[in-house]
Amino acid sequence: MITPRKIYTIVEETLLEGGRPVEPAARVALVAAVIPNPWHGQGFVEDLNPGIDETASAIGELLAPRVVEALGTTVEAYGKAAIVGLEGEIEHGSALIHTLKFGDHFRKAAYATTLLPAVEKRGPAGIVFDIPLKHITDATIRSHHQSIEVRLADAPHPGEIVIALAAAAQGRPQQRLAPLSTEQ
C-alpha cells in the first residue's frame, strides 16, 4: 500500500442559489489523497497492471468511506478524478481510477450502479480541476449532472498523483430542467 503524503477533505454547502434559499442546503463532499506515482522514474512502462494491483484497490478502500462520511447523508451523485504531476503520464492516473478494483469501493459505499464520471489531467501543484458528478443509479437524470471545482495548493508534486472522490447529497440547487425523456 502506498502511503498518501496528504489527504484533503472538503465539504461545500450551498445555502442560496439564484437569490433564493436552498432548503435543505445543497451539500457536496470531496476527499483527495496525494500519493506517489507508482510508475515515477521508470520511463515508459508497458504493463501498468502490477502498479494497479498494488495501489488501486487500497486507494479506493481508503477514500470511499471517507467521502461518504464527510457528506454525512445519502449519496445521490458521485464522481472521481486523477490529477497527475508533471513527471507522469495521464495514463498513470487513468490506470488507477478506471478499474473496478478502485471504483467498486465507492459504488458499494454509495449503493450505486452506474459508472463513475471522471476527469484525468496532468499539471503542476495548484492546478484547478473540475470533478463531474452524475446520479448514482441513472446517468440520464439531468438534475444530478453537476461538478465541483477543486484546487489543492500543494499538490500534485511532479512525481505524485492526486486521486479524488466527490459525492453530492442531491442534484443541482434550484434545478428546473425537464427530464430527458421529455425530449425523446
Side-chain angles (χ1 to χ4, degrees):
M1 166 60 187
I2 291 178
T3 302
R5 178 173 65 84
K6 287 188 173 190
I7 296 177
Y8 293 84
T9 302
I10 300 167
V11 178
E12 173 184 286
E13 290 185 317
T14 301
L15 307 174
L16 291 171
E17 181 69 26
R20 294 183 175 198
V22 176
E23 295 176 8
R27 193 170 172 91
V28 181
L30 167 117
V31 175
V34 182
I35 64 169
N37 183 332
W39 303 281
H40 182 251
Q42 297 178 35
F44 186 86
V45 176
E46 189 67 40
D47 183 6
L48 299 176
N49 285 315
I52 293 168
D53 290 343
E54 293 170 8
T55 309
S57 181
I59 293 299
E61 185 176 25
L62 173 72
L63 297 179
R66 285 177 182 241
V67 73
V68 171
E69 180 181 344
L71 187 63
T73 190
T74 303
V75 176
E76 287 191 16
Y78 67 166
K80 62 187 175 183
I83 311 303
V84 181
L86 291 175
E87 292 177 3
E89 300 173 38
I90 293 173
E91 189 70 1
H92 296 162
S94 296
L96 295 178
I97 66 170
H98 290 304
T99 173
L100 296 176
K101 293 172 184 177
F102 174 77
D104 274 354
H105 292 286
F106 199 9
R107 267 185 285 284
K108 288 175 186 170
Y111 302 100
T113 56
T114 59
L115 293 175
L116 279 150
V119 64
E120 304 91 352
K121 190 172 184 174
R122 178 178 38 233
I127 190 166
V128 175
F129 59 97
D130 291 349
I131 300 178
L133 292 92
K134 296 204 178 195
H135 194 277
I136 63 168
T137 61
D138 184 349
T140 68
I141 297 176
R142 291 199 281 199
S143 61
H144 287 59
H145 294 193
Q146 57 191 308
S147 61
I148 182 169
E149 183 177 289
V150 184
R151 180 182 174 277
L152 308 175
D154 186 38
H157 290 174
E160 294 178 330
I161 302 175
V162 172
I163 304 292
L165 294 177
Q170 69 295 306
R172 294 181 310 278
Q174 315 295 21
Q175 76 80 27
R176 37 196 191 276
L177 295 178
L180 182 62
S181 61
T182 63
E183 294 183 21
Q184 297 175 344

